[in-house]
Amino acid sequence: MNGPIRIDLDGILRILHTGITRADMFMGIGMNAAEHDPPISHVLVPDTFHHITLVKEDLAPDEAKHVAEEYAKWTQASGLRELLETFSVYLLEVYWVLDLIAQTEGMTQRPPSARFEKLGISDQIKALNEILPIPEDHRRVLRQLNQARNCYAHRRGVVGGNDIDSETGVFRLEWVALDVVAVFPDGTSIDGKDLKGVFFPKGGKITVRLAVHGRKFAFGEELVLSKQELKEICLSIYLIGGAVWESLRNYCVDKGLLKYPPEPPGITGTL
């Protein structure tokens, strides 16, 4: 391979940011719309259009409530799919860089980028982990999120036998989260979610730490998540993706390809 090669690491990271932003915002719109009172109209086009009737225009209160609940579930499934499909595209771009580096060094990378694109996200993570070490807790989170996506796609969000762990008898869905804890001078502490309106007349310390949050679902139970949990899952993908990006950056530095390596992504107020 002749000529210089330009690798835009920031451009690769933007793929991740864009996908997370879309999923976060669109789930927000959808979940809030599902809770709106009075209910937002469900009519796509008035039935007078071509005189075709597909759905009832006037719903009874219990019917409208049911439609809103189902729409919230549909929004969750769509948002999770957006997150994971974007993450898969992001991983492909990361792997493409590794494949390109391997070619310049006369190495044979397996699987090549063309094959990597066709892999499921679990196999993509497995292949990538052979080159860029990915922590086991991150790989586990991605496998479980992918299994949740499969549950939505193939079982309408109802936990089935394929989702259940043979040892525990349940499906556990986990994600990486940030826990905020405030500690007062006397040693007492308060959780971050209860900090609104709290004052620290004698000072104190606020700490942020990584934690693993999760839910357990039994066989036959619907996989329904809260808005807070969905927000944390978006953040989880951001944190895991950022760690992958930093590993890629360090790999390029080790290969002597980056003279002034970009800084790793930081945590900001928005995604």
Side-chain angles (χ1 to χ4, degrees):
M1 187 174 295
N2 298 320
I5 299 172
R6 181 177 182 272
I7 299 174
D8 185 4
L9 292 185
D10 288 334
I12 293 174
L13 193 60
R14 281 194 293 272
I15 295 173
L16 178 70
H17 286 178
T18 300
I20 294 173
T21 300
R22 283 172 55 89
D24 186 285
M25 294 181 68
F26 294 169
M27 282 194 291
I29 293 172
M31 297 295 285
N32 291 333
E35 296 174 354
H36 194 272
D37 187 21
I40 295 175
S41 174
H42 64 283
V43 178
L44 184 62
V45 177
D47 286 343
T48 54
F49 182 75
H50 291 323
H51 304 285
I52 297 174
T53 300
L54 295 178
V55 299
K56 293 170 58 178
E57 289 196 27
D58 298 318
L59 300 178
D62 60 331
E63 292 175 321
K65 182 175 182 294
H66 176 70
V67 168
E69 291 172 348
E70 291 301 310
Y71 175 61
K73 297 173 188 176
W74 182 83
T75 298
Q76 292 182 32
S78 300
L80 188 60
R81 183 176 64 248
E82 177 91 19
L83 275 174
L84 293 176
E85 288 182 356
T86 297
F87 195 78
S88 178
V89 172
Y90 169 69
L91 292 181
L92 174 61
E93 291 296 314
V94 170
Y95 196 85
W96 177 84
V97 173
L98 299 174
D99 194 17
L100 191 61
I101 294 173
Q103 292 179 47
T104 63
E105 296 183 343
M107 299 165 53
T108 301
Q109 196 72 42
R110 288 292 183 268
S113 297
R115 170 59 180 154
F116 186 87
E117 183 178 9
K118 299 177 182 179
L119 298 176
I121 193 169
S122 295
D123 289 330
Q124 285 182 333
I125 288 295
K126 182 179 179 181
L128 193 61
N129 186 59
E130 295 178 359
I131 310 167
L132 297 181
I134 301 173
E136 169 55 28
D137 57 340
H138 288 187
R139 284 181 281 150
R140 184 178 67 253
V141 164
L142 291 169
R143 287 195 301 267
Q144 292 176 349
L145 287 173
N146 189 59
Q147 190 63 39
R149 192 263 303 269
N150 292 340
C151 179
Y152 281 125
H154 303 299
R155 290 173 285 284
R156 297 181 300 167
V158 177
V159 175
N162 291 340
D163 308 310
I164 296 296
D165 183 90
S166 58
E167 295 183 1
T168 63
V170 298
F171 171 57
R172 180 163 179 80
L173 179 62
E174 297 176 321
W175 54 89
V176 181
L178 294 176
D179 279 351
V180 178
V181 178
V183 182
F184 295 97
D186 63 2
T188 60
S189 62
I190 184 172
D191 191 86
K193 66 179 182 295
D194 300 319
L195 275 176
K196 186 176 181 179
V198 176
F199 296 93
F200 296 79
K202 297 182 180 181
K205 182 171 66 174
I206 295 179
T207 62
V208 180
R209 60 173 180 261
L210 288 175
V212 176
H213 293 182
R215 290 270 305 280
K216 293 180 181 179
F217 298 90
F219 178 84
E221 184 177 355
E222 282 192 289
L223 207 165
V224 179
L225 300 166
S226 69
K227 290 194 290 186
Q228 176 64 33
E229 290 167 339
L230 292 170
K231 186 73 175 184
E232 290 183 0
I233 288 173
C234 288
L235 177 60
S236 182
I237 293 295
Y238 178 83
L239 292 170
I240 293 174
V244 171
W245 183 90
E246 190 169 357
S247 293
L248 175 63
R249 183 201 63 166
N250 294 339
Y251 185 86
C252 291
V253 171
D254 292 341
K255 293 292 183 179
L257 300 175
L258 290 177
K259 186 175 182 181
Y260 302 105
E263 291 298 316
I267 300 299
T268 62
T270 62
L271 293 177

